[in-house]
Amino acid sequence: MRSRRDDYSESTRSALVESAVRLFTERGYAGTSLDEIAKRARVTKGALYHHFSGKQAVFEAAFDEVEADIKGRLEKILSGSQAPWERALAGLREFIGSCLDPSYQRIALQEAPVVMGWARWREAEDRYSFGLIKQALQDLIDAGEVLAVPVEVTSRLLFGALCSAATEIAHSADQRKVGEQIEDVVVRLLNQVRRQATEA
């Protein structure tokens, strides 16, 4: 049975993470201090250090929060009742829509590779995104919607392309237009593979 102290501790951590997400989105990692994060969360700096060892730990919790939110939405779509092809297209649209979100852009795409280091960032992205891509591709192959390609290698290629697409959107002057162009190109490419599968 959870105690009142456990509930308070969890709510304090949640408030700190929410504060960090907002501040890192608005000001970036370098422009945000732990004092500001604690102040916005309405807790003491001592309470912050009770939950986190330092600024990078707070940032990584904010990163996890942003990524987990997007992963949750994608999982819901990809495990839905639609046909595998429709689920894959809906997941693609959701991912591109997520790339327009300021928190995802600033924290996950722009700041995280620098703050966490490229290797750790890619490892984290693997944990959040790669598994979903791999499962969606396997579902398409099992349903006969696309050619029976090597799942691991093809998933890596798709994952790399979508990561590049996300970065392109984040750095574009007209993000919505670029997002629409990327969606159109990816769907066209997938349709080519799908057509070959149905003709085989």
PDB file of all heavy atoms in Angstrom, residues 6-30:
ATOM      1  N   ASP A   6       4.997   8.589  -0.187  1.00  0.00           N
ATOM      2  CA  ASP A   6       5.297   8.119  -1.541  1.00  0.00           C
ATOM      3  C   ASP A   6       4.573   8.958  -2.588  1.00  0.00           C
ATOM      4  O   ASP A   6       5.142   9.331  -3.619  1.00  0.00           O
ATOM      5  CB  ASP A   6       4.889   6.652  -1.711  1.00  0.00           C
ATOM      6  CG  ASP A   6       5.791   5.703  -0.922  1.00  0.00           C
ATOM      7  OD1 ASP A   6       6.951   6.072  -0.663  1.00  0.00           O
ATOM      8  OD2 ASP A   6       5.318   4.612  -0.566  1.00  0.00           O
ATOM      9  N   ASP A   7       3.302   9.253  -2.316  1.00  0.00           N
ATOM     10  CA  ASP A   7       2.515  10.072  -3.245  1.00  0.00           C
ATOM     11  C   ASP A   7       3.119  11.459  -3.381  1.00  0.00           C
ATOM     12  O   ASP A   7       3.198  12.013  -4.493  1.00  0.00           O
ATOM     13  CB  ASP A   7       1.070  10.187  -2.769  1.00  0.00           C
ATOM     14  CG  ASP A   7       0.309   8.874  -2.909  1.00  0.00           C
ATOM     15  OD1 ASP A   7       0.744   8.035  -3.717  1.00  0.00           O
ATOM     16  OD2 ASP A   7      -0.698   8.695  -2.197  1.00  0.00           O
ATOM     17  N   TYR A   8       3.550  12.024  -2.266  1.00  0.00           N
ATOM     18  CA  TYR A   8       4.138  13.369  -2.296  1.00  0.00           C
ATOM     19  C   TYR A   8       5.447  13.360  -3.074  1.00  0.00           C
ATOM     20  O   TYR A   8       5.718  14.257  -3.879  1.00  0.00           O
ATOM     21  CB  TYR A   8       4.377  13.870  -0.869  1.00  0.00           C
ATOM     22  CG  TYR A   8       5.045  15.221  -0.822  1.00  0.00           C
ATOM     23  CD1 TYR A   8       4.330  16.384  -1.109  1.00  0.00           C
ATOM     24  CD2 TYR A   8       6.404  15.336  -0.512  1.00  0.00           C
ATOM     25  CE1 TYR A   8       4.942  17.630  -1.090  1.00  0.00           C
ATOM     26  CE2 TYR A   8       7.032  16.573  -0.496  1.00  0.00           C
ATOM     27  CZ  TYR A   8       6.295  17.717  -0.778  1.00  0.00           C
ATOM     28  OH  TYR A   8       6.918  18.946  -0.764  1.00  0.00           O
ATOM     29  N   SER A   9       6.249  12.326  -2.845  1.00  0.00           N
ATOM     30  CA  SER A   9       7.528  12.227  -3.537  1.00  0.00           C
ATOM     31  C   SER A   9       7.322  12.104  -5.047  1.00  0.00           C
ATOM     32  O   SER A   9       8.028  12.742  -5.840  1.00  0.00           O
ATOM     33  CB  SER A   9       8.297  11.005  -3.019  1.00  0.00           C
ATOM     34  OG  SER A   9       9.533  10.862  -3.691  1.00  0.00           O
ATOM     35  N   GLU A  10       6.340  11.303  -5.441  1.00  0.00           N
ATOM     36  CA  GLU A  10       6.063  11.123  -6.866  1.00  0.00           C
ATOM     37  C   GLU A  10       5.554  12.410  -7.494  1.00  0.00           C
ATOM     38  O   GLU A  10       5.935  12.768  -8.609  1.00  0.00           O
ATOM     39  CB  GLU A  10       5.041  10.008  -7.051  1.00  0.00           C
ATOM     40  CG  GLU A  10       4.771   9.658  -8.503  1.00  0.00           C
ATOM     41  CD  GLU A  10       3.832   8.481  -8.662  1.00  0.00           C
ATOM     42  OE1 GLU A  10       4.096   7.436  -8.041  1.00  0.00           O
ATOM     43  OE2 GLU A  10       2.841   8.612  -9.398  1.00  0.00           O
ATOM     44  N   SER A  11       4.676  13.120  -6.784  1.00  0.00           N
ATOM     45  CA  SER A  11       4.135  14.369  -7.312  1.00  0.00           C
ATOM     46  C   SER A  11       5.225  15.439  -7.411  1.00  0.00           C
ATOM     47  O   SER A  11       5.218  16.253  -8.341  1.00  0.00           O
ATOM     48  CB  SER A  11       2.974  14.875  -6.448  1.00  0.00           C
ATOM     49  OG  SER A  11       3.419  15.239  -5.156  1.00  0.00           O
ATOM     50  N   THR A  12       6.162  15.420  -6.458  1.00  0.00           N
ATOM     51  CA  THR A  12       7.279  16.369  -6.508  1.00  0.00           C
ATOM     52  C   THR A  12       8.146  16.102  -7.727  1.00  0.00           C
ATOM     53  O   THR A  12       8.524  17.025  -8.460  1.00  0.00           O
ATOM     54  CB  THR A  12       8.138  16.266  -5.230  1.00  0.00           C
ATOM     55  OG1 THR A  12       7.335  16.590  -4.089  1.00  0.00           O
ATOM     56  CG2 THR A  12       9.333  17.215  -5.297  1.00  0.00           C
ATOM     57  N   ARG A  13       8.465  14.844  -7.959  1.00  0.00           N
ATOM     58  CA  ARG A  13       9.284  14.499  -9.123  1.00  0.00           C
ATOM     59  C   ARG A  13       8.570  14.869 -10.424  1.00  0.00           C
ATOM     60  O   ARG A  13       9.189  15.405 -11.347  1.00  0.00           O
ATOM     61  CB  ARG A  13       9.604  13.003  -9.119  1.00  0.00           C
ATOM     62  CG  ARG A  13      10.621  12.612 -10.186  1.00  0.00           C
ATOM     63  CD  ARG A  13      10.856  11.109 -10.227  1.00  0.00           C
ATOM     64  NE  ARG A  13      11.974  10.782 -11.108  1.00  0.00           N
ATOM     65  CZ  ARG A  13      11.903  10.742 -12.436  1.00  0.00           C
ATOM     66  NH1 ARG A  13      10.736  11.019 -13.035  1.00  0.00           N
ATOM     67  NH2 ARG A  13      12.974  10.450 -13.166  1.00  0.00           N
ATOM     68  N   SER A  14       7.280  14.588 -10.494  1.00  0.00           N
ATOM     69  CA  SER A  14       6.509  14.914 -11.692  1.00  0.00           C
ATOM     70  C   SER A  14       6.501  16.414 -11.951  1.00  0.00           C
ATOM     71  O   SER A  14       6.629  16.860 -13.105  1.00  0.00           O
ATOM     72  CB  SER A  14       5.067  14.406 -11.563  1.00  0.00           C
ATOM     73  OG  SER A  14       5.028  13.008 -11.493  1.00  0.00           O
ATOM     74  N   ALA A  15       6.364  17.189 -10.878  1.00  0.00           N
ATOM     75  CA  ALA A  15       6.372  18.651 -11.023  1.00  0.00           C
ATOM     76  C   ALA A  15       7.722  19.143 -11.522  1.00  0.00           C
ATOM     77  O   ALA A  15       7.805  20.045 -12.360  1.00  0.00           O
ATOM     78  CB  ALA A  15       6.033  19.309  -9.688  1.00  0.00           C
ATOM     79  N   LEU A  16       8.789  18.546 -11.033  1.00  0.00           N
ATOM     80  CA  LEU A  16      10.136  18.925 -11.468  1.00  0.00           C
ATOM     81  C   LEU A  16      10.355  18.579 -12.942  1.00  0.00           C
ATOM     82  O   LEU A  16      10.915  19.385 -13.692  1.00  0.00           O
ATOM     83  CB  LEU A  16      11.182  18.226 -10.603  1.00  0.00           C
ATOM     84  CG  LEU A  16      11.367  18.789  -9.195  1.00  0.00           C
ATOM     85  CD1 LEU A  16      12.134  17.805  -8.323  1.00  0.00           C
ATOM     86  CD2 LEU A  16      12.102  20.130  -9.247  1.00  0.00           C
ATOM     87  N   VAL A  17       9.914  17.407 -13.343  1.00  0.00           N
ATOM     88  CA  VAL A  17      10.082  16.996 -14.743  1.00  0.00           C
ATOM     89  C   VAL A  17       9.260  17.890 -15.663  1.00  0.00           C
ATOM     90  O   VAL A  17       9.738  18.326 -16.717  1.00  0.00           O
ATOM     91  CB  VAL A  17       9.704  15.518 -14.933  1.00  0.00           C
ATOM     92  CG1 VAL A  17       9.704  15.150 -16.418  1.00  0.00           C
ATOM     93  CG2 VAL A  17      10.659  14.614 -14.164  1.00  0.00           C
ATOM     94  N   GLU A  18       8.035  18.184 -15.272  1.00  0.00           N
ATOM     95  CA  GLU A  18       7.190  19.071 -16.082  1.00  0.00           C
ATOM     96  C   GLU A  18       7.821  20.457 -16.204  1.00  0.00           C
ATOM     97  O   GLU A  18       7.846  21.053 -17.288  1.00  0.00           O
ATOM     98  CB  GLU A  18       5.801  19.194 -15.446  1.00  0.00           C
ATOM     99  CG  GLU A  18       4.862  20.084 -16.261  1.00  0.00           C
ATOM    100  CD  GLU A  18       3.490  20.228 -15.618  1.00  0.00           C
ATOM    101  OE1 GLU A  18       3.184  19.456 -14.686  1.00  0.00           O
ATOM    102  OE2 GLU A  18       2.736  21.118 -16.050  1.00  0.00           O
ATOM    103  N   SER A  19       8.342  20.961 -15.092  1.00  0.00           N
ATOM    104  CA  SER A  19       9.026  22.253 -15.104  1.00  0.00           C
ATOM    105  C   SER A  19      10.233  22.213 -16.031  1.00  0.00           C
ATOM    106  O   SER A  19      10.477  23.139 -16.821  1.00  0.00           O
ATOM    107  CB  SER A  19       9.464  22.613 -13.680  1.00  0.00           C
ATOM    108  OG  SER A  19      10.288  23.765 -13.678  1.00  0.00           O
ATOM    109  N   ALA A  20      11.000  21.136 -15.949  1.00  0.00           N
ATOM    110  CA  ALA A  20      12.202  20.998 -16.774  1.00  0.00           C
ATOM    111  C   ALA A  20      11.844  20.940 -18.258  1.00  0.00           C
ATOM    112  O   ALA A  20      12.517  21.572 -19.083  1.00  0.00           O
ATOM    113  CB  ALA A  20      12.966  19.742 -16.367  1.00  0.00           C
ATOM    114  N   VAL A  21      10.808  20.201 -18.610  1.00  0.00           N
ATOM    115  CA  VAL A  21      10.388  20.111 -20.010  1.00  0.00           C
ATOM    116  C   VAL A  21      10.073  21.504 -20.552  1.00  0.00           C
ATOM    117  O   VAL A  21      10.522  21.883 -21.645  1.00  0.00           O
ATOM    118  CB  VAL A  21       9.174  19.176 -20.172  1.00  0.00           C
ATOM    119  CG1 VAL A  21       8.564  19.312 -21.570  1.00  0.00           C
ATOM    120  CG2 VAL A  21       9.574  17.731 -19.923  1.00  0.00           C
ATOM    121  N   ARG A  22       9.333  22.277 -19.785  1.00  0.00           N
ATOM    122  CA  ARG A  22       8.944  23.615 -20.251  1.00  0.00           C
ATOM    123  C   ARG A  22      10.154  24.539 -20.388  1.00  0.00           C
ATOM    124  O   ARG A  22      10.298  25.248 -21.387  1.00  0.00           O
ATOM    125  CB  ARG A  22       7.936  24.224 -19.279  1.00  0.00           C
ATOM    126  CG  ARG A  22       6.596  23.520 -19.293  1.00  0.00           C
ATOM    127  CD  ARG A  22       5.539  24.325 -18.587  1.00  0.00           C
ATOM    128  NE  ARG A  22       4.243  23.670 -18.628  1.00  0.00           N
ATOM    129  CZ  ARG A  22       3.102  24.246 -18.273  1.00  0.00           C
ATOM    130  NH1 ARG A  22       3.115  25.502 -17.848  1.00  0.00           N
ATOM    131  NH2 ARG A  22       1.962  23.594 -18.343  1.00  0.00           N
ATOM    132  N   LEU A  23      11.019  24.525 -19.393  1.00  0.00           N
ATOM    133  CA  LEU A  23      12.168  25.427 -19.423  1.00  0.00           C
ATOM    134  C   LEU A  23      13.203  25.021 -20.468  1.00  0.00           C
ATOM    135  O   LEU A  23      13.763  25.875 -21.166  1.00  0.00           O
ATOM    136  CB  LEU A  23      12.809  25.507 -18.036  1.00  0.00           C
ATOM    137  CG  LEU A  23      11.999  26.299 -17.014  1.00  0.00           C
ATOM    138  CD1 LEU A  23      12.552  26.104 -15.608  1.00  0.00           C
ATOM    139  CD2 LEU A  23      11.995  27.784 -17.364  1.00  0.00           C
ATOM    140  N   PHE A  24      13.469  23.736 -20.577  1.00  0.00           N
ATOM    141  CA  PHE A  24      14.412  23.292 -21.598  1.00  0.00           C
ATOM    142  C   PHE A  24      13.863  23.576 -22.999  1.00  0.00           C
ATOM    143  O   PHE A  24      14.626  23.855 -23.925  1.00  0.00           O
ATOM    144  CB  PHE A  24      14.724  21.801 -21.450  1.00  0.00           C
ATOM    145  CG  PHE A  24      15.607  21.468 -20.289  1.00  0.00           C
ATOM    146  CD1 PHE A  24      15.321  20.387 -19.471  1.00  0.00           C
ATOM    147  CD2 PHE A  24      16.746  22.226 -20.001  1.00  0.00           C
ATOM    148  CE1 PHE A  24      16.146  20.061 -18.392  1.00  0.00           C
ATOM    149  CE2 PHE A  24      17.565  21.909 -18.927  1.00  0.00           C
ATOM    150  CZ  PHE A  24      17.271  20.833 -18.121  1.00  0.00           C
ATOM    151  N   THR A  25      12.548  23.489 -23.167  1.00  0.00           N
ATOM    152  CA  THR A  25      11.932  23.804 -24.452  1.00  0.00           C
ATOM    153  C   THR A  25      12.087  25.282 -24.771  1.00  0.00           C
ATOM    154  O   THR A  25      12.423  25.665 -25.897  1.00  0.00           O
ATOM    155  CB  THR A  25      10.438  23.428 -24.448  1.00  0.00           C
ATOM    156  OG1 THR A  25      10.294  22.026 -24.211  1.00  0.00           O
ATOM    157  CG2 THR A  25       9.788  23.774 -25.792  1.00  0.00           C
ATOM    158  N   GLU A  26      11.854  26.115 -23.776  1.00  0.00           N
ATOM    159  CA  GLU A  26      11.891  27.569 -23.984  1.00  0.00           C
ATOM    160  C   GLU A  26      13.316  28.114 -24.092  1.00  0.00           C
ATOM    161  O   GLU A  26      13.588  28.982 -24.932  1.00  0.00           O
ATOM    162  CB  GLU A  26      11.174  28.275 -22.825  1.00  0.00           C
ATOM    163  CG  GLU A  26       9.677  28.001 -22.766  1.00  0.00           C
ATOM    164  CD  GLU A  26       9.062  28.485 -21.450  1.00  0.00           C
ATOM    165  OE1 GLU A  26       9.797  29.110 -20.645  1.00  0.00           O
ATOM    166  OE2 GLU A  26       7.868  28.229 -21.236  1.00  0.00           O
ATOM    167  N   ARG A  27      14.229  27.595 -23.262  1.00  0.00           N
ATOM    168  CA  ARG A  27      15.546  28.217 -23.137  1.00  0.00           C
ATOM    169  C   ARG A  27      16.719  27.319 -23.509  1.00  0.00           C
ATOM    170  O   ARG A  27      17.851  27.790 -23.597  1.00  0.00           O
ATOM    171  CB  ARG A  27      15.742  28.696 -21.691  1.00  0.00           C
ATOM    172  CG  ARG A  27      14.635  29.616 -21.205  1.00  0.00           C
ATOM    173  CD  ARG A  27      14.859  30.021 -19.770  1.00  0.00           C
ATOM    174  NE  ARG A  27      13.711  30.715 -19.221  1.00  0.00           N
ATOM    175  CZ  ARG A  27      13.638  31.161 -17.969  1.00  0.00           C
ATOM    176  NH1 ARG A  27      14.668  30.975 -17.157  1.00  0.00           N
ATOM    177  NH2 ARG A  27      12.557  31.782 -17.542  1.00  0.00           N
ATOM    178  N   GLY A  28      16.469  26.041 -23.699  1.00  0.00           N
ATOM    179  CA  GLY A  28      17.557  25.123 -23.977  1.00  0.00           C
ATOM    180  C   GLY A  28      18.286  24.717 -22.714  1.00  0.00           C
ATOM    181  O   GLY A  28      18.033  25.243 -21.623  1.00  0.00           O
ATOM    182  N   TYR A  29      19.206  23.774 -22.872  1.00  0.00           N
ATOM    183  CA  TYR A  29      19.940  23.242 -21.721  1.00  0.00           C
ATOM    184  C   TYR A  29      20.839  24.304 -21.092  1.00  0.00           C
ATOM    185  O   TYR A  29      20.810  24.522 -19.878  1.00  0.00           O
ATOM    186  CB  TYR A  29      20.775  22.044 -22.171  1.00  0.00           C
ATOM    187  CG  TYR A  29      21.516  21.345 -21.053  1.00  0.00           C
ATOM    188  CD1 TYR A  29      20.844  20.465 -20.207  1.00  0.00           C
ATOM    189  CD2 TYR A  29      22.876  21.561 -20.858  1.00  0.00           C
ATOM    190  CE1 TYR A  29      21.518  19.810 -19.190  1.00  0.00           C
ATOM    191  CE2 TYR A  29      23.559  20.907 -19.847  1.00  0.00           C
ATOM    192  CZ  TYR A  29      22.872  20.036 -19.005  1.00  0.00           C
ATOM    193  OH  TYR A  29      23.543  19.395 -17.991  1.00  0.00           O
ATOM    194  N   ALA A  30      21.620  24.977 -21.905  1.00  0.00           N
ATOM    195  CA  ALA A  30      22.573  25.969 -21.384  1.00  0.00           C
ATOM    196  C   ALA A  30      21.877  27.150 -20.737  1.00  0.00           C
ATOM    197  O   ALA A  30      22.400  27.740 -19.786  1.00  0.00           O
ATOM    198  CB  ALA A  30      23.493  26.450 -22.510  1.00  0.00           C
TER     199      ALA A  30
END
